[in-house]
Amino acid sequence: MKCYIVFILKRCWKRKINLALVGLMVLIISGIFFMNLTNQDRLKESLETAKNEYRIQEKEYSLMLDTENDDTDFALDAYNASIDRIRIYEELCKEFNAENKQDFYKGYINILNENKQAALENDEHSKEMIEDLSKQLAYFTYLNRHDLDYEDMNYPIFALPFLISLFDNILLLIVLVLSICICTQIYSFNYHQSMDLGKLLPYSHKRILLIHVFMSFFISLGILLGTILFSLLLSLTFTQNMGIDYPVLMTTVSNGITDVFLKDLLLSFEILAFANLLCFVLFQWIHDEMTILLLFMGASVLFGYLPGYLGIVKPFVHFIPFSYIQTGNIINGTLASLVENNQLTLDMGALIFGIYIVFLIVCLYFYSNYSRKNT
C-alpha cells in the first residue's frame, strides 16, 4: 500500500504540467503582491493632484481680482480659500512623506469629513461617492485610534489583509485548477486505452478507490495550505507586518481579521472536498483530464465571477456550489448584494456543501459495490 502511494506521488511530481502550474500560481500571487506594493502611493498622488487643482484655482481667482468686476468679493473669498487648501494639502503631503501617522490621520480625517459634508449638501453627488467617503472615514479613524501603519485598503500588502484579499478574488480558483489537474491524473493513472489496470493490483477495488479519493483530497489541502504559506511569507518578507490588528470592511457583518480568515479556510476545505468527490464521480464517465478541468473552470468562472450574467438563475444561485468560489465575498456579503440573493451566505454554503458531499459519498459507495460485483 505504501509503495503504491509513493508511486502515485512520484508520478504527480515528475509531470511537467504540474510544475508549470505551480510556477504559474507563484507568478500570479507575486504579481498581485507587487502590484499592490506599487499602489501604496496612490493616496499621496491624490493629495498632490488636489493640491495642484487648488493652485490652478488660485491663479484663476487671482486673475479675477486683477480685473475690476462685480465678483471681486466672491473672488477674494475663493482666492483665500484656495490658499488655505493648498497649505493644508502641502502639510498633509509633508506628514505623509515623514510618516507622522497621527498628524497625517487627523488632518486627512478632517478633509474627509469636510468632503462628506459638502457631498451631503450637494444633490449632484452620487450615493456611491458618499458611501466611499464614509468607508474611508471609518478606515482612517480605525487606523488613527489603533496607531497602525498606513495601508491602501484597496491594495493590501500586510500579511493577513493581503491573504484575505486573495480569498476575495482568485486564490481558491487557482488552487482548484491545480487540484483538479492533479486529481484527474491520480484517477487516470490506472486507465490505459479504456482498460482499468487497477484490477491487476493486489488490492481490492474499494481500497484503491479510497486511496485515490483521500490522496487527491489531502494533496488539494496541501496545495491550499502551501499557497497560503507562500502568500504570508511573501508579504512578511517585504513588510514585516502580520496585519492582525487591521480591519476587514464587511457589507453585512463585522468581524476580526483572524475570524474572517478562519471562515475563509473552512469554506475552502468544504469546496475542495466537494470538488474532489465530484471530480472522481465525473471521471467514471469522462475519462479525459482536460474535459473535466474545463468543466470545473467554466462552472467556477460563470457562477463565481460572472454573477451579473446569471439572469433568472440568481434566486437559486445559493444552491449551486460553484457560486461560493469567491469565499471572501461570500463571507463579507458583497456577492449576495451583487446577485440580490441574501441566501448566499457562509451558513447556507456549509449546509449546501454538506448535502452535496453526503450525496457524492453515497454515490461512491454504490459505485464501489457495483464495480465489485462486476469484477
Side-chain angles (χ1 to χ4, degrees):
M1 181 69 69
K2 181 180 179 181
C3 293
Y4 182 59
I5 293 174
V6 172
F7 167 74
I8 291 177
L9 291 174
K10 284 184 177 179
R11 288 195 65 177
C12 290
W13 177 254
K14 290 182 178 180
R15 282 208 170 184
K16 294 181 180 179
I17 183 66
N18 297 337
L19 297 177
L21 287 174
V22 171
L24 181 61
M25 178 191 71
V26 169
L27 287 175
I28 291 174
I29 293 175
S30 300
I32 293 173
F33 176 77
F34 288 114
M35 179 190 71
N36 290 4
L37 200 61
T38 57
N39 277 285
Q40 294 307 300
D41 286 335
R42 284 198 322 148
L43 178 57
K44 178 186 173 182
E45 292 171 359
S46 69
L47 295 175
E48 292 285 355
T49 300
K51 183 176 69 174
N52 292 333
E53 288 175 353
Y54 280 112
R55 286 193 185 281
I56 294 172
Q57 292 182 16
E58 176 202 0
K59 292 179 181 178
E60 291 175 351
Y61 293 129
S62 178
L63 290 174
M64 290 178 64
L65 290 173
D66 292 339
T67 305
E68 293 186 2
N69 53 62
D70 297 333
D71 296 328
T72 301
D73 292 338
F74 166 76
L76 181 60
D77 291 339
Y79 176 80
N80 291 330
S82 298
I83 292 293
D84 290 338
R85 281 287 178 172
I86 292 170
R87 179 184 55 77
I88 291 172
Y89 278 102
E90 284 181 341
E91 188 65 26
L92 283 175
C93 291
K94 179 182 177 182
E95 300 293 350
F96 186 89
N97 291 329
E99 298 183 358
N100 294 330
K101 294 181 293 185
Q102 294 297 327
D103 292 337
F104 172 77
Y105 291 153
K106 290 176 183 177
Y108 193 61
I109 288 171
N110 290 335
I111 290 291
L112 290 174
N113 276 316
E114 292 175 7
N115 290 343
K116 182 181 178 181
Q117 186 62 36
L120 290 171
E121 294 173 356
N122 191 337
D123 295 334
E124 294 181 2
H125 290 95
S126 64
K127 180 181 177 181
E128 289 77 11
M129 180 180 178
I130 295 173
E131 288 178 351
D132 182 62
L133 287 169
S134 299
K135 186 188 295 184
Q136 290 189 61
L137 264 172
Y139 182 66
F140 280 96
T141 301
Y142 186 95
L143 295 182
N144 183 44
R145 185 183 301 123
H146 294 85
D147 193 26
L148 299 174
D149 292 334
Y150 170 71
E151 175 192 59
D152 193 306
M153 61 181 174
N154 295 315
Y155 297 93
I157 57 171
F158 299 138
L160 275 178
F162 173 63
L163 183 59
I164 296 297
S165 73
L166 290 178
F167 273 113
D168 290 347
N169 295 290
I170 65 168
L171 185 140
L172 199 57
L173 179 62
I174 296 172
V175 171
L176 191 61
V177 168
L178 184 53
S179 298
I180 296 304
C181 183
I182 294 177
C183 291
T184 52
Q185 292 170 28
I186 292 174
Y187 300 148
S188 65
F189 281 156
N190 292 337
Y191 288 91
H192 179 69
Q193 296 181 353
S194 300
M195 294 186 297
D196 186 359
L197 301 180
K199 295 177 180 179
L200 302 177
L201 295 171
Y203 310 117
S204 66
H205 186 273
K206 183 177 290 187
R207 179 170 292 186
I208 293 174
L209 184 151
L210 290 174
I211 290 172
H212 286 177
V213 171
F214 278 105
M215 279 193 66
S216 62
F217 177 64
F218 284 111
I219 287 174
S220 298
L221 286 186
I223 293 170
L224 174 63
L225 296 177
T227 305
I228 290 173
L229 183 61
F230 171 75
S231 303
L232 293 176
L233 290 176
L234 177 65
S235 174
L236 289 172
T237 300
F238 287 89
T239 66
Q240 292 83 48
N241 191 329
M242 194 66 186
I244 295 177
D245 297 323
Y246 280 74
V248 178
L249 299 177
M250 312 291 281
T251 302
T252 57
V253 293
S254 179
N255 296 91
I257 196 166
T258 51
D259 185 43
V260 174
F261 169 67
L262 292 175
K263 289 180 178 179
D264 277 323
L265 207 56
L266 174 62
L267 191 54
S268 299
F269 286 168
E270 294 175 330
I271 292 174
L272 290 177
F274 161 78
N276 278 277
L277 290 170
L278 180 61
C279 179
F280 183 85
V281 171
L282 289 175
F283 196 81
Q284 308 314 309
W285 288 274
I286 307 173
H287 297 304
D288 184 75
E289 300 172 22
M290 187 55 66
T291 301
I292 294 177
L293 181 61
L294 291 176
L295 284 174
F296 270 89
M297 287 183 63
S300 300
V301 171
L302 176 61
F303 293 105
Y305 293 89
L306 300 174
Y309 295 92
L310 296 178
I312 59 173
V313 183
K314 286 182 180 180
F316 313 101
V317 73
H318 57 284
F319 294 117
I320 303 172
F322 293 100
S323 302
Y324 297 87
I325 198 76
Q326 291 191 71
T327 57
N329 288 329
I330 293 294
I331 293 169
N332 65 29
T334 301
L335 200 59
S337 176
L338 187 62
V339 299
E340 300 175 347
N341 185 337
N342 293 328
Q343 296 296 317
L344 197 61
T345 63
L346 174 67
D347 293 337
M348 178 59 72
L351 176 63
I352 293 298
F353 280 113
I355 294 172
Y356 275 105
I357 288 170
V358 170
F359 173 74
L360 290 172
I361 289 175
V362 171
C363 289
L364 287 176
Y365 174 78
F366 283 109
Y367 170 77
S368 174
N369 289 337
Y370 172 80
S371 299
R372 185 176 58 185
K373 290 178 182 178
N374 290 273
T375 301

